[in-house]
Amino acid sequence: MIRDSLSVKFSLTLVLFGLAACQTTVEPPPMRSLANSGRVSLLCLEYTSQRGRDLRACPDSVDPLIDHEDRRVMALVTQSLRGEVAVIDMHDSRVVDEEPALPGTEFLPLGANPSGIVSTPGGSATFVGTTEPGREALFALPSSCILPPAVGEPARDLSLWSTCRLPAAPAELELVAVADGGPDGYGVGCQGAKDKAWYAAATMPVAERRQDCPASLEDEAHLAPVGRRKLVVTFPTLGMVGVYDAQALLNQKPGTFPPCVPDAMVALRVTPPTALAPQALPADLVGSATCAVAAPRYEFGPAPTAYQSRPAGVALQGGKMFVADLGTPLVHVLDLSNPCAPSELEPLLPRSFDEPKRDVRTRDLSVSEPLRSGEQFVYAIDDADGSAMVFDVGAKSSQRTPLVRPGSPELPFEPPDRIRFDAPIRDLLLLSHDAPIVDPNTGTTTLGTLCDPNPNSDSVGSLYRTSSDRTRGAGPRKFRGTFGFMALGSGSVAAVDIEDFDEACRRPVSNTTPGTGRDWRGCAYAPGIASYMTDAVASVSDEVSCNIVQRHRARGSMAMLMDTGIGVTAPNLRSLPQLSDPLSGDVGASQVGPARLRPRLLAVPFAADGGVTSPSQVLVGSTAMAIEGDLNQSLLDVDPGTTESHSLLLPLGEPRVYASQESFTATYEGAVLLPRSTGRLPVVSGTDERVGRPLRDTELLLRDADALFCDAGVSDEALALATGESMGLASGRRRSDFASGHADYVQLTDKFSVDDAYFASTAAQAACGETDLRGACEEWFGTTELPLATRDLRVTEAYHDRLLLEPRVPGDEAAWVKRVHCCFPSVHNYVVRGGQQWVVRGSRLLHDIIPGAGVRCVRDCSPRKAHLKSRAFEVTSSAAECRKSTENLSKLPACWIGAQATGPSEDGVPQVDPCVTALVKGAIDPSRPSAGLPAACVFAGLQSRFAVYRGLAPSHRDMAFSWSIAGGWSPLSTSLVNASVGMTVLPEFMLHSPQLNAIVVVDSASGGVSLLSLEGLVPQGLPFL
Amino acid sequence: MALAGLAFTACYSNGDGIAPPLSQIYFPVGVATSPDQSRLYVVSSDFDLQYNAGALHSLDLKRVRQLVPRDCDKDADCVAGERCDAAGDSASHWCVAKAGKFAGKPCGALGERAVGERIIVPGRCNNVDLTSPQMGGAPVQVDSVELGAFASDLVLRQGPKGEQRLFIPVRGESSLHWIDVDKSGGLHCGQEGSGSCDSIHRAGLDSSDNSRGLRMPPEPFGIAVSAKAEAIAITHQTSGAVSLFTQDLAHWSRGPELEFILQNLPLRPVALAAVPRSLASDLLEPSSLQVGFLTAYRDTPQVDLLRYYPDAGANPSRPFLALAGSAQVRANLLDYDSRGIAVDGSERADCEASCAGESGAKASACALSCANVPLGVFLSSRSPASLISGFTQPDTWATPNRDLPRFSDVVALPYGPSRVEIGKIMTSAGKLETRVFILCFDARRLAVYDPTRRLVERWITTGRGPHALSFDYQAPDPSRGEPGHALAYLAHFTDSYLGVLQLDQRARRTYGEVVLGLAPVTAPRASK
């Protein structure tokens, strides 16, 4: 059987070989040896003597012939599936074959399921934890035996390693040191070891230790961390952290499997504080905590009666070890300044701003070095959603909860206290890096020099400015400062800004005018600087926003430029908006003919903000267009009386709000909730639990539990009424008319199928009093192709799982309700539409509606939702001229804004227009509040700014403006995909190597190990496979 | 590939050809353990069309457990007449006979498998013959019956009165076989006389059985059945469709009927799982009692929530499935080619178990609170090979249904992950713990994933074509002298046998290994 199989394979190989022979060039497939790699550790090895060296002495910059040393960085990579450790020689760029006599590439065999791995700073040895159930162990790999054996040396097999048995599966390993090595300089270090055999091993004289694979850690005790090496091991199933003497493990007799004897064991705390202090809020979120309807949205079941700690990832910095925990909502902080007596300090308290009732567990973390400001940050991965939260653990910080960032109202898609990417974060790494420039005056370099944008300065910081050709200096791929790097499940490594030394140099060249606020680019006035452009030379990057770099947010992949000479990489309209009319096709904004009957969507200049004004402009393709001012730009005409095109503006205060490309529509009475097919209109007898009373005979109840109406943004009469009030509608009648006219409505979209047995049933016919029930239904409600207004049902009360409805057409509502029950007896199709307004939708509908008490849809008063808008009301004119007949297209009235509604419309639904001007033409000017229009008449959304002016004829359903925005934000990331591994990538683990000036990334899917250079976050060659 | 080609062109007819050997497992594709863990049901697919039908087998699990070797460290760990085989390089550390023909032989009458063969067929001992065990005694197989060729899966559910029924999608004829099981493990599907299931027990074939005039579409594949069996969903792997069968619980004996075909889903839905029923469902208003299914696709990176609507308000009622929502999968590079999905409701179930001591309003409050415990959702993907995990986000105060997952983690797997199953292992402390088991068909691996520690605890090397898995575990009960056990039965598709996996960590030398094989190893014809 096997022989046959081999025969087939051989034949196939021949065929392939034959095919390949026809090609001019045969590229051999890359040889792969690594598989399911897990963790990596680095050490410096003197290759000839096979002795460890200080990692900082690698790679060897001196010719071996001179110093007689050949120092190489070696990477040791755990192989999860095979229970082995692979050795990569980074100098020769090869995976070491430990047994060249055998086919394939052999590695160092260990126990099954290796977990953590750590090498000593002096490169003497590497330690690995293994987790095979029943055989949990620590292995010690002396560096003297990690290369293939020479003649006479022992084989690199399982019996070669010193090992000991652990009480449970280990997870992470770290190395610390006891500074006081004891009376003999490198004694036991901890005096607590009671086990005689273990103590003997720990204190074994060098001469008595194994000589086949020697490793004496005292040789490197002078290297930081100075002192006797101790292994810190986490035990997820025990909820404990243990400290073990590294030399004692190295001195165990190979082939034996004694128990590992800890110097100390710490049981991690399992009880979170009973009273949690609230997260500190930035100024732009103050009020959200006290917002009446911002009660915790989600429940997560009862709190556990008891927690069990499951320590996960760890991070070590300055004698403190931070421990993530998958079992308790705590990030433990261990004081390891004395590893013999570790103690747990007050823990960090992971929690979620959006889901405060959730127990937030963490699976990995990283800690930064202290920043210039003294701040220091821990990033931890939230296990429930794969995002990262930020803790300030600096000396000045007393906060133990995740940091809530400012700017959330402009970035509603990302939780205020989370850094989130499209794919879950697999691993994270915080590191500091600089690329100092030699000061030409002193010939010295200084780390941490801030970029100086002041055009009047020639300080050292000015050397870090973006060069005119943008190939040097401040830019997205220049890493100077402290950054976070996130390995994502999507196969890439993304960067996060923490402290960018070049931040000040990345902004527009134009300064804004004096004031206290920020302009539409997010820029505040910089005193003493007229412009960042002097003699046609910019001292800054001239990017479109002052918020290109923001702390604890994803770093952008490109410089966001409006420079049409170099290329447009900033948010831009692909073209000016277009209007389509379902009745007459595309319609322009011409001033002649039927086009004047149609509405216009026109840009509105940015408002003054805190005294700061700035010329409003927008990129349309590669053309910069401004509403006023700059002669170098095309001008946008935003007056409905003269303009020939629709237009809008793009706010740039928060460039991250723009997707790389997104299409938008503004549709008259457009869909708020996209079509659904699972609505039911039951006959409700008795009190409905949500409505709280029996239904009137003029009312219907639409139920659809999965529709999540509030999340979809459905607005009922009460919400419409509140909108009217906010727009200054004070009198009762007008307010109620406004509410009924502008509340959303359900349009039933079922067809009355001839195949539906229901219509032929005598019971149904008798109940409805119609022998041709189907025909009657078509007569009452029309068809799906030609629906009648009787299919429209106003939403009088919206709940998360049901809607209370009334017929939208006036008349005998009770009779129509009966007819609805007759013609829509079962589950049916429907769509929810906005009433007499324009519904603006990009990839989603932005709104501030949430389920409140009793799951009634209410408006969220949180400041975070303040900018979420999806409804635009038309600007109308009260001028008498505008009411004149428009039947004669060649003699239209001298009015360019549609007339204000003054009474019931043709379908009988009362109309009240909230945005009424006395003018017949003229654009909205936000600097002239005397125009009398409520501020809400300007659609000031996160991604667009415009007003809709009614045409001379009323707008009708499904008229739609459409536009697309390109050049949006994309996070800086580097994919591990390459020609060697194809798409089979899944980053698992990262390590910073200052020696290689790179991030070492382990890819568990391909098994490969990649290097990403910190000079641009680009791959350094192909991965080691 | 050739076999796959055959599968597409063939159709089931048991009128011609050779009848399947009912004592032999043949390309097994589904296994299910009875609720009392007394029986194991195995469905043979007849994938290479060597026979004119597939088959269903009923095995005696008590007998199987008797045959599983017992780990030991010393003689005292074994019963009278046995000693511990603990000496020598090849010591098994199993209890072996002290005397007799098989004294000292770890495999006894089974005999030892050649070391070289163990590379392909893991396990020290030869496989047990199902009908005539080599060591004598009662047969392992209790009953068997013929069914259509190309079955694809197997699910067991209990009826309102504890009746047991097996549901089997059959690709060869596009039907849903349903087979009742009696208390002794006997199989009943109208096979009297012909030996194969009658037309009554093959639902979906007759378009006159339903008010919509439906016939089951081709290539049924994955099946999921609601907890009470009122709704049965089946994916169709060559089209974007999911069939709905309903089972009238008030008339259990009638069997399921095809009621609806949900069309226009993304192409190639394969993975399917029922959302566990919450205890709180009984406390909510009847219209909220919506059965849900999660399905995933080979061609599209999304998980869809399908809801079953009984349409009870209509006359006549015509139940249907509807797409209630979609969750994008953005956890690994390409995110598609999902082959298996499983929903872990164990944490919620544990919470609900704690409500047992409550009554009245407290019981309701407890159940409602527990309904908010998120469900774990696990998805296998081949782009690249990985396990994607996430949670649902219950929201019972707002709506009883919010069963779409959000994915939060991903773990690399060896090549060819396919089905995902939720089961339990026994820890070394004698406690049952939940694990996620991912079958990697191509790589011959079974990953045992610990969802609480977020890591693969054990990589089990299997035989060729690991395809289906079922569990058999019981917690220790000292009061009854019951030590407890944790085993799993792994159907090896390619070589047509079952491997018995030890999942008890107290058996520390054999944990995660194949300790017994059931049915002879039969390599496919192409490789003979």
Side-chain angles (χ1 to χ4, degrees):
Chain A
M1 178 178 68
I2 294 173
R3 189 173 55 208
D4 286 354
S5 175
L6 287 174
S7 171
V8 169
K9 286 179 182 170
F10 182 66
S11 304
L12 190 59
T13 307
L14 284 179
V15 171
L16 291 174
F17 186 75
L19 287 175
C22 299
Q23 308 298 317
T24 53
T25 304
V26 178
E27 289 291 338
M31 292 293 292
R32 293 194 191 190
S33 54
L34 305 177
N36 285 79
S37 298
R39 300 297 176 95
V40 63
S41 94
L42 302 178
L43 60 82
C44 181
L45 187 74
E46 202 292 299
Y47 203 74
T48 311
S49 65
Q50 298 190 25
R51 294 173 67 92
R53 288 286 183 270
D54 184 349
L55 190 54
R56 292 171 297 180
C58 267
D60 199 341
S61 58
V62 182
D63 192 314
L65 293 174
I66 297 173
D67 67 355
H68 306 293
E69 288 222 330
D70 180 9
R71 297 186 299 275
R72 300 182 179 188
V73 176
M74 311 295 283
L76 279 73
V77 189
T78 60
Q79 302 293 285
S80 303
L81 207 55
R82 294 170 58 170
E84 296 174 337
V85 165
V87 179
I88 300 174
D89 182 339
M90 309 296 269
H91 177 81
D92 283 354
S93 299
R94 67 183 177 94
V95 179
V96 176
D97 183 358
E98 301 290 347
E99 188 49 82
L102 295 177
T105 306
E106 297 296 312
F107 301 141
L108 305 175
L110 302 177
N113 285 17
S115 54
I117 183 169
V118 63
S119 299
T120 61
S124 302
T126 298
F127 301 90
V128 187
T130 60
T131 65
E132 181 181 4
R135 299 187 184 91
E136 300 88 354
L138 281 178
F139 282 75
L141 280 58
S143 298
S144 53
C145 281
I146 62 169
L147 294 179
V151 176
E153 288 187 345
R156 301 330 190 198
D157 62 21
L158 192 61
S159 64
L160 184 64
W161 315 119
S162 296
T163 181
C164 66
R165 190 171 70 246
L166 289 170
E172 301 288 340
L173 261 64
E174 285 287 353
L175 207 71
V176 294
V178 179
D180 179 8
D184 59 353
Y186 199 80
V188 178
C190 299
Q191 300 302 317
K194 304 292 185 190
D195 184 276
K196 280 181 66 176
W198 187 263
Y199 184 81
T203 56
M204 186 180 287
V206 173
E208 296 176 18
R209 298 176 191 169
R210 56 184 303 192
Q211 300 301 311
D212 54 349
C213 298
S216 293
L217 300 181
E218 50 265 63
D219 293 347
E220 59 172 78
H222 61 286
L223 299 176
V226 174
R228 187 176 178 101
R229 306 298 190 220
K230 299 288 178 182
L231 290 167
V232 184
V233 184
T234 61
F235 297 103
T237 54
L238 300 179
M240 302 182 87
V241 174
V243 179
Y244 296 87
D245 188 82
Q247 187 66 56
L249 173 57
L250 277 165
N251 292 347
Q252 296 301 314
K253 185 179 176 186
T256 63
F257 197 35
C260 308
V261 179
D263 287 338
M265 290 288 278
V266 181
L268 297 173
R269 78 170 69 191
V270 293
T271 310
T274 49
L276 291 177
Q279 290 172 273
L281 298 181
D284 58 5
L285 281 186
V286 170
S288 59
T290 55
C291 184
V293 293
R297 169 72 188 274
Y298 297 109
E299 304 278 345
F300 294 88
T305 52
Y307 290 94
Q308 180 182 354
S309 174
R310 294 189 185 280
V314 300
L316 197 60
Q317 172 71 235
K320 283 184 184 175
M321 188 163 86
F322 299 90
V323 185
D325 197 325
L326 284 163
T328 67
L330 301 171
V331 168
H332 307 277
V333 186
L334 294 185
D335 180 358
L336 288 172
S337 54
N338 177 9
C340 300
S343 61
E344 184 166 1
L345 306 175
E346 283 299 306
L348 305 177
L349 305 172
R351 57 190 305 187
S352 166
F353 181 88
D354 283 344
E355 298 169 344
K357 289 195 174 182
R358 174 160 66 88
D359 270 346
V360 178
R361 323 283 172 94
T362 50
R363 61 170 177 250
D364 210 345
L365 42 71
S366 183
V367 58
S368 75
E369 294 176 8
L371 272 53
R372 297 162 54 94
S373 60
E375 294 167 296
Q376 187 178 14
F377 297 104
V378 165
Y379 278 30
I381 301 176
D382 183 340
D383 182 56
D385 65 2
S387 65
M389 64 193 101
V390 183
F391 297 91
D392 184 355
V393 296
K396 297 176 186 170
S397 172
S398 58
Q399 278 286 318
R400 291 188 289 134
T401 50
L403 188 151
V404 183
R405 296 165 299 187
S408 295
E410 285 76 35
L411 279 173
F413 312 129
E414 189 173 59
D417 57 350
R418 291 294 189 276
I419 301 165
R420 183 180 284 174
F421 294 89
D422 276 352
I425 300 169
R426 297 279 298 132
D427 192 24
L428 41 76
L429 181 66
L430 308 189
L431 61 88
S432 298
H433 179 261
D434 201 353
I437 297 175
V438 178
D439 182 345
N441 297 320
T442 64
T444 59
T445 58
T446 307
L447 292 172
T449 304
L450 298 180
C451 185
D452 184 352
N454 189 335
N456 306 318
S457 168
D458 60 354
S459 67
V460 178
S462 66
L463 301 173
Y464 294 92
R465 295 171 186 164
T466 310
S467 65
S468 57
D469 62 359
R470 299 185 189 279
T471 58
R472 289 174 289 108
R477 290 188 181 269
K478 176 63 88 177
F479 291 100
R480 295 200 322 114
T482 300
F483 303 90
F485 294 92
M486 314 281 165
L488 306 179
S490 54
S492 56
V493 174
V496 171
D497 287 319
I498 298 177
E499 181 184 51
D500 184 350
F501 297 155
D502 296 331
E503 177 180 354
C505 290
R506 298 192 60 187
R507 57 156 297 151
V509 292
S510 62
N511 196 1
T512 191
T513 51
T516 56
R518 291 178 177 268
D519 67 10
W520 63 281
R521 297 170 182 263
C523 298
Y525 172 65
I529 295 177
S531 168
Y532 291 91
M533 180 83 81
T534 308
D535 298 331
V537 175
S539 62
V540 294
S541 61
D542 197 18
E543 293 175 83
V544 297
S545 171
C546 284
N547 283 323
I548 296 294
V549 175
Q550 284 190 52
R551 273 189 169 198
H552 310 303
R553 294 201 189 277
R555 190 170 177 84
S557 64
M558 301 185 69
M560 301 199 91
L561 303 172
M562 264 195 190
D563 189 333
T564 54
I566 292 178
V568 174
T569 52
N572 64 87
L573 285 170
R574 300 193 73 176
S575 62
L576 291 172
Q578 297 292 311
L579 173 64
S580 65
D581 185 336
L583 302 179
S584 55
D586 285 351
V587 183
S590 167
Q591 295 299 321
V592 296
R596 284 190 60 197
L597 303 180
R598 309 287 182 250
R600 286 172 168 76
L601 183 142
L602 297 173
V604 176
F606 288 103
D609 183 7
V612 178
T613 58
S614 178
S616 301
Q617 59 179 6
V618 64
L619 274 171
V620 183
S622 59
T623 304
M625 303 185 79
I627 292 181
E628 72 278 336
D630 196 336
L631 293 177
N632 294 324
Q633 297 173 337
S634 303
L635 291 180
L636 277 180
D637 184 352
V638 295
D639 184 342
T642 55
T643 187
E644 295 285 328
S645 58
H646 306 290
S647 60
L648 53 81
L649 295 179
L650 307 180
L652 293 172
E654 180 42 87
R656 290 164 188 77
V657 79
Y658 295 97
S660 57
Q661 188 158 319
E662 189 171 3
S663 295
F664 295 83
T665 55
T667 307
Y668 192 72
E669 297 204 332
V672 173
L673 177 65
L674 296 176
R676 293 187 57 84
S677 59
T678 51
R680 286 168 294 138
L681 290 163
V683 177
V684 179
S685 57
T687 299
D688 178 78
E689 61 168 352
R690 298 275 193 247
V691 180
R693 58 171 172 78
L695 266 58
R696 293 188 285 270
D697 59 1
T698 56
E699 293 177 321
L700 288 153
L701 199 66
L702 174 81
R703 304 188 60 153
D704 188 347
D706 284 310
L708 311 179
F709 292 111
C710 306
D711 286 350
V714 173
S715 171
D716 62 13
E717 282 191 335
L719 288 168
L721 187 66
T723 300
E725 289 173 342
S726 71
M727 299 179 84
L729 296 174
S731 73
R733 176 63 188 163
R734 276 171 55 80
R735 286 170 60 227
S736 60
D737 284 354
F738 178 90
S740 60
H742 291 85
D744 292 346
Y745 65 92
V746 168
Q747 182 190 19
L748 301 173
T749 55
D750 275 315
K751 70 175 183 179
F752 307 117
S753 172
V754 292
D755 298 326
D756 193 334
Y758 166 78
F759 294 109
S761 76
T762 51
Q765 291 171 353
C768 298
E770 295 288 340
T771 52
D772 178 10
L773 181 56
R774 183 180 161 280
C777 288
E778 280 200 349
E779 182 184 335
W780 292 333
F781 296 101
T783 64
T784 48
E785 295 78 20
L786 295 171
L788 299 179
T790 47
R791 284 176 178 259
D792 300 346
L793 306 166
R794 183 189 313 113
V795 179
T796 56
E797 294 180 24
Y799 300 85
H800 205 35
D801 60 350
R802 67 198 68 185
L803 301 175
L804 190 63
L805 309 172
E806 281 184 356
R808 207 167 181 235
V809 291
D812 188 351
E813 285 93 346
W816 280 110
V817 165
K818 284 182 182 172
R819 288 173 175 175
V820 167
H821 282 307
C822 278
C823 297
F824 302 93
S826 182
V827 185
H828 49 260
N829 302 297
Y830 68 96
V831 61
V832 180
R833 293 174 175 274
Q836 298 178 0
Q837 57 196 288
W838 293 82
V839 176
V840 182
R841 178 186 284 276
S843 58
R844 66 183 103 184
L845 193 86
L846 304 182
H847 64 87
D848 57 356
I849 295 170
I850 58 171
V855 298
R856 180 77 185 266
C857 297
V858 297
R859 212 171 290 288
D860 189 347
C861 62
S862 167
R864 196 169 153 217
K865 303 279 183 71
H867 301 308
L868 301 183
K869 299 186 188 307
S870 58
R871 320 283 186 129
F873 295 95
E874 292 180 338
V875 176
T876 60
S877 173
S878 59
E881 181 68 21
C882 299
R883 295 202 185 96
K884 291 183 178 175
S885 170
T886 58
E887 288 185 1
N888 186 349
L889 292 179
S890 61
K891 196 176 179 183
L892 290 171
C895 172
W896 285 264
I897 301 175
Q900 173 192 10
T902 54
S905 63
E906 286 183 2
D907 61 6
V909 179
Q911 294 185 350
V912 176
D913 289 320
C915 301
V916 183
T917 175
L919 305 174
V920 297
K921 63 178 184 178
I924 294 178
D925 181 352
S927 65
R928 290 195 302 121
S930 60
L933 292 174
C937 296
V938 177
F939 185 87
L942 290 169
Q943 298 144 306
S944 54
R945 179 178 174 85
F946 60 82
V948 182
Y949 298 85
R950 182 173 291 169
L952 297 185
S955 303
H956 50 257
R957 191 155 73 192
D958 288 334
M959 273 184 166
F961 295 98
S962 58
W963 66 94
S964 295
I965 300 175
W969 184 268
S970 63
L972 173 61
S973 66
T974 297
S975 174
L976 299 184
V977 171
N978 60 60
S980 296
V981 299
M983 310 292 269
T984 309
V985 293
L986 180 57
E988 171 80 15
F989 180 74
M990 294 189 297
L991 188 70
H992 177 213
S993 171
Q995 296 73 36
L996 303 172
N997 195 27
I999 299 171
V1000 183
V1001 187
V1002 178
D1003 172 6
S1004 56
S1006 72
V1009 175
S1010 300
L1011 297 183
L1012 297 182
S1013 169
L1014 285 169
E1015 299 303 325
L1017 198 65
V1018 293
Q1020 276 187 8
L1022 291 174
F1024 300 97
L1025 295 170
Chain B
M1 186 68 85
L3 292 177
L6 279 175
F8 278 104
T9 56
C11 58
Y12 169 57
S13 163
N14 60 359
D16 303 317
I18 308 167
L22 294 178
S23 61
Q24 184 179 337
I25 292 172
Y26 203 62
F27 291 113
V29 291
V31 285
T33 309
S34 65
D36 64 355
Q37 285 146 348
S38 66
R39 295 289 181 266
L40 179 72
Y41 305 101
V42 186
V43 64
S44 292
S45 68
D46 185 30
F47 187 75
D48 67 349
L49 278 184
Q50 185 164 340
Y51 306 108
N52 65 0
L56 178 70
H57 314 264
S58 170
L59 308 186
D60 181 350
L61 278 188
K62 189 175 179 186
R63 181 81 176 108
V64 170
R65 287 193 290 269
Q66 287 173 350
L67 300 175
V68 171
R70 293 189 309 285
D71 272 33
C72 61
D73 287 319
K74 53 190 183 303
D75 292 349
D77 296 335
C78 302
V79 298
E82 291 180 339
R83 66 173 178 81
C84 186
D85 174 33
D89 289 343
S90 61
S92 63
H93 289 273
W94 290 346
C95 293
V96 297
K98 272 184 182 171
K101 185 179 173 184
F102 302 111
K105 293 185 181 300
C107 293
L110 293 176
E112 296 211 11
R113 180 171 289 129
V115 174
E117 287 181 19
R118 293 179 202 173
I119 296 170
I120 300 297
V121 185
R124 181 164 183 162
C125 306
N126 289 320
N127 286 7
V128 178
D129 189 289
L130 296 180
T131 51
S132 303
Q134 295 89 325
M135 65 292 292
V140 173
Q141 179 165 301
V142 176
D143 197 4
S144 60
V145 65
E146 285 183 24
L147 42 75
F150 306 126
S152 61
D153 206 346
L154 170 66
V155 174
L156 185 150
R157 285 288 182 273
Q158 286 187 290
K161 296 176 182 173
E163 313 94 322
Q164 290 181 28
R165 179 168 290 168
L166 297 161
F167 300 96
I168 304 167
V170 174
R171 294 164 60 192
E173 61 175 18
S174 294
S175 71
L176 173 66
H177 280 49
W178 53 280
I179 298 168
D180 287 328
V181 184
D182 62 30
K183 290 181 179 172
S184 63
L187 305 170
H188 304 281
C189 60
Q191 73 271 38
E192 291 78 12
S194 67
S196 60
C197 297
D198 64 14
S199 60
I200 295 173
H201 291 79
R202 290 151 53 196
L205 292 171
D206 188 347
S207 59
S208 65
D209 282 348
N210 57 74
S211 62
R212 292 185 171 99
L214 300 173
R215 167 97 171 65
M216 193 181 191
E219 288 295 319
F221 192 75
I223 179 172
V225 185
S226 61
K228 291 186 175 179
E230 69 269 49
I232 302 154
I234 296 174
T235 60
H236 295 274
Q237 61 173 341
T238 56
S239 60
V242 173
S243 292
L244 171 72
F245 289 79
T246 60
Q247 169 70 60
D248 186 343
L249 300 182
H251 302 90
W252 180 257
S253 62
R254 287 184 190 167
E257 291 179 353
L258 178 64
E259 281 287 358
F260 186 75
I261 299 165
L262 179 60
Q263 308 274 11
N264 300 321
L265 294 169
L267 286 179
R268 299 209 286 176
V270 172
L272 187 66
V275 178
R277 182 183 174 82
S278 144
L279 181 64
S281 297
D282 295 327
L283 304 171
L284 299 168
E285 54 186 304
S287 58
S288 300
L289 300 179
Q290 289 181 300
V291 169
F293 300 96
L294 293 177
T295 187
Y297 305 87
R298 290 189 61 185
D299 286 10
T300 304
Q302 72 185 45
V303 170
D304 285 341
L305 174 64
L306 311 181
R307 287 280 182 216
Y308 162 62
Y309 289 83
D311 197 32
N315 184 15
S317 66
R318 296 194 298 177
F320 68 103
L321 275 179
L323 175 63
S326 299
Q328 297 301 307
V329 182
R330 288 176 181 160
N332 62 7
L333 180 59
L334 300 174
D335 301 313
Y336 68 96
D337 205 356
S338 300
R339 300 297 184 101
I341 188 169
V343 183
D344 176 18
S346 57
E347 194 175 339
R348 179 183 293 179
D350 289 345
C351 179
E352 290 174 339
S354 70
C355 302
E358 305 288 355
S359 61
K362 281 189 174 178
S364 300
C366 183
L368 279 169
S369 178
C370 290
N372 283 314
V373 175
L375 302 168
V377 180
F378 301 91
L379 186 68
S380 70
S381 168
R382 292 190 174 188
S383 59
S386 51
L387 174 71
I388 297 171
S389 60
F391 302 93
T392 61
Q393 197 172 15
D395 192 11
T396 54
W397 77 273
T399 172
N401 302 295
R402 198 178 174 92
D403 294 329
L404 275 171
R406 61 180 181 188
F407 293 104
S408 58
D409 200 7
V410 56
V411 177
L413 294 172
Y415 292 117
S418 49
R419 290 190 185 175
V420 186
E421 304 284 354
I422 307 292
K424 293 198 184 281
I425 60 112
M426 186 85 71
T427 67
S428 54
K431 185 181 163 197
L432 290 174
E433 279 190 1
T434 299
R435 295 289 186 272
V436 182
F437 296 80
I438 310 101
L439 293 160
C440 298
F441 190 96
D442 303 17
R444 294 178 44 211
R445 298 284 178 143
L446 172 61
V448 184
Y449 178 78
D450 182 344
T452 57
R453 286 189 290 155
R454 301 273 180 275
L455 53 82
V456 175
E457 172 184 85
R458 187 84 163 93
W459 301 99
I460 298 176
T461 301
T462 73
R464 298 195 298 178
H467 193 70
L469 189 67
S470 188
F471 302 95
D472 171 13
Y473 48 78
Q474 186 174 6
D477 185 352
S479 65
R480 295 170 46 206
E482 169 57 59
H485 63 268
L487 299 168
Y489 305 101
L490 175 61
H492 289 85
F493 177 83
T494 309
D495 289 328
S496 297
Y497 71 98
L498 299 180
V500 181
L501 302 176
Q502 178 60 267
L503 296 182
D504 188 342
Q505 292 185 346
R506 295 173 302 181
R508 58 190 174 89
R509 290 191 177 81
T510 52
Y511 172 73
E513 293 187 358
V514 179
V515 291
L516 187 69
L518 301 176
V521 176
T522 308
R525 284 188 296 178
S527 63
K528 284 178 181 173

